[in-house]
Amino acid sequence: MYTSSEEDYLKAILKLSRKENGPVTTGALATELHTAAPSVTDMIRRLAEKRLATYERYHGVQLTDEGLRIATALVRRHRLWEVFLTEKLGFPWDAVHEVAEQLEHVQHPDLIERLDAFLGYPRFDPHGDPIPNAQGVWPERQRQLLSTVEVGVQVVIAGVDDHSVTFLQHLDRLGINLGTRIAVLERVEYDLSLYIHLVEQNRDLMLSDKAARSLFVEPIN
Amino acid sequence: MYTSSEEDYLKAILKLSRKENGPVTTGALATELHTAAPSVTDMIRRLAEKRLATYERYHGVQLTDEGLRIATALVRRHRLWEVFLTEKLGFPWDAVHEVAEQLEHVQHPDLIERLDAFLGYPRFDPHGDPIPNAQGVWPERQRQLLSTVEVGVQVVIAGVDDHSVTFLQHLDRLGINLGTRIAVLERVEYDLSLYIHLVEQNRDLMLSDKAARSLFVEPIN
DNA sequence: TTTATTTTTTAGAATATCCTAAAAATTTTT
DNA sequence: AAAAATTTTTAGGATATTCTAAAAAATAAA
């Protein structure tokens, strides 16, 4: 139906527009997609012609309802494939993005619904990111950044805001995973580092503020 | 590494060269790939430049060792994905080809080895076609066309030579699947139709010669 | 073995996607 | 509010893949 390239742009526009609301700029897209700005101008003009986005010269793009529908389906596909790769094929969480980036472009009427059923209808991917359902509805979850948690409170690791391989491997080395229960022991005033306690492993460790601002946690239910 | 298009050509050259030995003609490739002949000429010239095939003007193409290695890996990927789609996602055997055609182009160093392990190292795909191993070695199996089986002999359905949706659905309607045990009761002299007995279902039915020439069987082990 | 037919290649062009360099518009600074 | 800096678009071109029409080569027929 649409080319991989068009799909990549739609997904990028969705991603950026979920951060800041209002139109997405050419420059932001160029950075996100690692392309030159003129390539972006070309493509968003084409997307607008196909009624997947609205575009006004010098004022950025916005997805139409149809564009949003497609982009959301792509996020769904991407994240379901990531679940498959980690849960079924045993890939580490820092290695699934590249492959899912390719798998998400595979076109078939009910491939994804079958995959979803096979995986047991997961609501979050291996990085804790929400997986929209077949109707495009995103699951809700009350999560916050670890950096905002009060001292003394116990929480559970629920996701990462930085998906880089280096950060994910850093977490592995520290023994921090999705579902890991932690207690915030102390926030160092000087540089905002955190002393935390890993409950299951009965171990204390120190976390930089940068790391704490890249970790989502949720209350213990 | 290589584009989907290059991979499609390599796979087609392998397929055709396994039927007839010697170089594969431009016309045969054009038919196989549903493209115009000049497109084929262009591509095989490019493949030759990249040392994936040898090509002599007006005399067809042949894969080099490297081309053969890549094409074999593609067949391996295609067939493993087909096993995944039927065994794990519950797709009917007449619906997997199109999807596998896309999935086989997904590039990743150990995706296929992990998939192979997850599937339990299958040696044959849902249509009974052999799956080359990671070293490119094809599993052997003594199979013959049902049309060549002597009257009175019992055999097991081991594969199809015609992969068309209509034929596969025809077999479904008849209750014939991979692994179905049959006995050849009679060969009608007039049109070579076969009366066969489905052992498990304790049922007799008639099969056209055309169908019998599209079914592989193997001896009961 | 010359002629006719078929196959293959060359020539030239279209589309999708990307690029660099230069021009135009917008935003920021003074 | 004019000048400077930044961002975006236009212009023009490259590559990969495909196509149709015409020319060239190979094969088949007379």
Side-chain angles (χ1 to χ4, degrees):
Chain A
M1 196 60 159
Y2 299 103
T3 68
S4 288
S5 200
E6 288 171 332
E7 292 189 339
D8 287 338
Y9 276 87
L10 291 174
K11 203 159 55 101
I13 297 168
L14 174 60
K15 180 176 176 182
L16 296 176
S17 66
R18 277 174 71 89
K19 291 196 173 164
E20 327 260 321
N21 47 353
V24 174
T25 66
T26 303
L29 274 173
T31 304
E32 174 72 22
L33 292 164
H34 303 105
T35 54
S39 309
V40 175
T41 305
D42 270 9
M43 179 59 95
I44 61 187
R45 196 173 30 70
R46 279 196 295 273
L47 293 177
E49 273 166 20
K50 296 185 178 181
R51 302 274 180 269
L52 299 173
T54 55
Y55 162 56
E56 203 190 333
R57 230 155 77 270
Y58 289 101
H59 291 285
V61 247
Q62 270 183 300
L63 294 177
T64 60
D65 285 355
E66 175 66 359
L68 178 63
R69 195 184 62 71
I70 294 166
T72 306
L74 281 163
V75 172
R76 171 171 165 75
R77 294 191 217 161
H78 182 101
R79 293 183 179 170
L80 283 172
W81 279 118
E82 286 197 345
V83 174
F84 168 72
L85 293 168
T86 52
E87 299 281 307
K88 303 296 181 180
L89 299 196
F91 273 95
W93 67 343
D94 58 287
V96 294
H97 180 77
E98 311 299 319
V99 195
E101 204 65 18
Q102 298 176 62
L103 286 165
E104 75 190 14
H105 296 299
V106 173
Q107 309 270 357
H108 188 273
D110 52 271
L111 173 62
I112 290 305
E113 299 324 305
R114 283 180 186 271
L115 181 65
D116 195 20
F118 176 61
L119 297 173
Y121 306 102
R123 297 171 61 235
F124 300 92
D125 80 6
H127 311 107
D129 294 317
I131 301 174
N133 71 11
Q135 286 69 48
V137 179
W138 302 72
E140 285 296 330
R141 172 142 86 160
Q142 46 166 315
R143 42 180 223 180
Q144 56 177 320
L145 291 178
L146 175 54
S147 56
T148 69
V149 173
E150 312 249 317
V151 169
V153 176
Q154 262 200 32
V155 289
V156 176
I157 300 293
V160 293
D161 199 27
D162 173 359
H163 294 70
S164 70
V165 172
T166 42
F167 182 56
L168 297 177
Q169 290 184 351
H170 178 52
L171 294 178
D172 284 341
R173 205 162 51 240
L174 295 176
I176 295 175
N177 281 285
L178 290 205
T180 300
R181 184 180 287 214
I182 65 173
V184 178
L185 302 177
E186 186 195 334
R187 176 168 285 109
V188 177
E189 215 178 313
Y190 167 64
D191 61 0
L192 300 178
S193 339
L194 290 185
Y195 279 101
I196 65 173
H197 177 70
L198 303 187
V199 178
E200 291 91 347
Q201 302 164 55
N202 192 31
R203 231 163 25 85
D204 291 358
L205 55 80
M206 208 202 68
L207 215 55
S208 71
D209 176 53
K210 180 177 162 74
R213 279 186 288 107
S214 296
L215 273 171
F216 288 115
V217 296
E218 64 182 353
I220 292 171
N221 46 12
Chain B
M1 196 62 160
Y2 298 103
T3 68
S4 287
S5 200
E6 289 170 332
E7 292 189 340
D8 286 339
Y9 276 87
L10 291 174
K11 203 159 57 97
I13 298 168
L14 175 60
K15 180 176 176 182
L16 295 176
S17 65
R18 277 175 71 89
K19 291 195 174 165
E20 327 259 324
N21 47 352
V24 174
T25 67
T26 302
L29 274 174
T31 304
E32 174 71 22
L33 293 164
H34 304 104
T35 55
S39 309
V40 175
T41 305
D42 271 7
M43 180 57 95
I44 60 188
R45 196 173 32 69
R46 278 197 296 274
L47 294 177
E49 272 166 21
K50 296 185 178 181
R51 303 273 180 268
L52 300 173
T54 56
Y55 163 56
E56 203 190 334
R57 230 156 75 272
Y58 289 102
H59 291 284
V61 248
Q62 270 182 301
L63 294 177
T64 60
D65 285 355
E66 176 67 358
L68 178 63
R69 195 184 62 71
I70 294 166
T72 306
L74 281 162
V75 172
R76 171 170 164 75
R77 293 192 219 161
H78 182 101
R79 294 182 178 171
L80 284 172
W81 279 118
E82 286 197 344
V83 173
F84 169 72
L85 293 168
T86 53
E87 299 282 307
K88 303 296 181 180
L89 298 196
F91 273 95
W93 67 343
D94 58 286
V96 294
H97 180 77
E98 311 299 319
V99 195
E101 204 65 18
Q102 297 176 63
L103 287 165
E104 75 189 13
H105 296 299
V106 172
Q107 309 270 357
H108 188 273
D110 51 270
L111 173 62
I112 290 305
E113 299 324 306
R114 283 181 186 271
L115 179 65
D116 194 20
F118 176 61
L119 298 173
Y121 305 102
R123 298 171 62 235
F124 300 93
D125 81 6
H127 311 107
D129 295 316
I131 301 174
N133 70 11
Q135 285 70 47
V137 179
W138 302 72
E140 285 297 330
R141 171 143 85 160
Q142 44 167 315
R143 41 179 225 180
Q144 56 178 319
L145 291 178
L146 174 55
S147 55
T148 69
V149 173
E150 314 248 317
V151 169
V153 177
Q154 263 200 34
V155 289
V156 177
I157 300 294
V160 293
D161 199 28
D162 173 358
H163 293 70
S164 71
V165 172
T166 43
F167 182 56
L168 297 177
Q169 288 185 352
H170 179 52
L171 294 178
D172 284 341
R173 206 162 50 239
L174 295 177
I176 295 175
N177 281 286
L178 290 205
T180 299
R181 183 180 289 213
I182 65 174
V184 177
L185 302 177
E186 185 195 334
R187 176 168 285 110
V188 177
E189 216 178 312
Y190 167 64
D191 62 359
L192 300 178
S193 338
L194 290 185
Y195 279 102
I196 64 173
H197 177 70
L198 302 187
V199 179
E200 290 92 347
Q201 302 164 55
N202 192 30
R203 229 162 30 82
D204 291 357
L205 54 81
M206 208 203 68
L207 216 55
S208 72
D209 177 53
K210 181 177 161 73
R213 280 185 289 106
S214 296
L215 275 172
F216 287 115
V217 296
E218 64 182 353
I220 291 170
N221 47 13

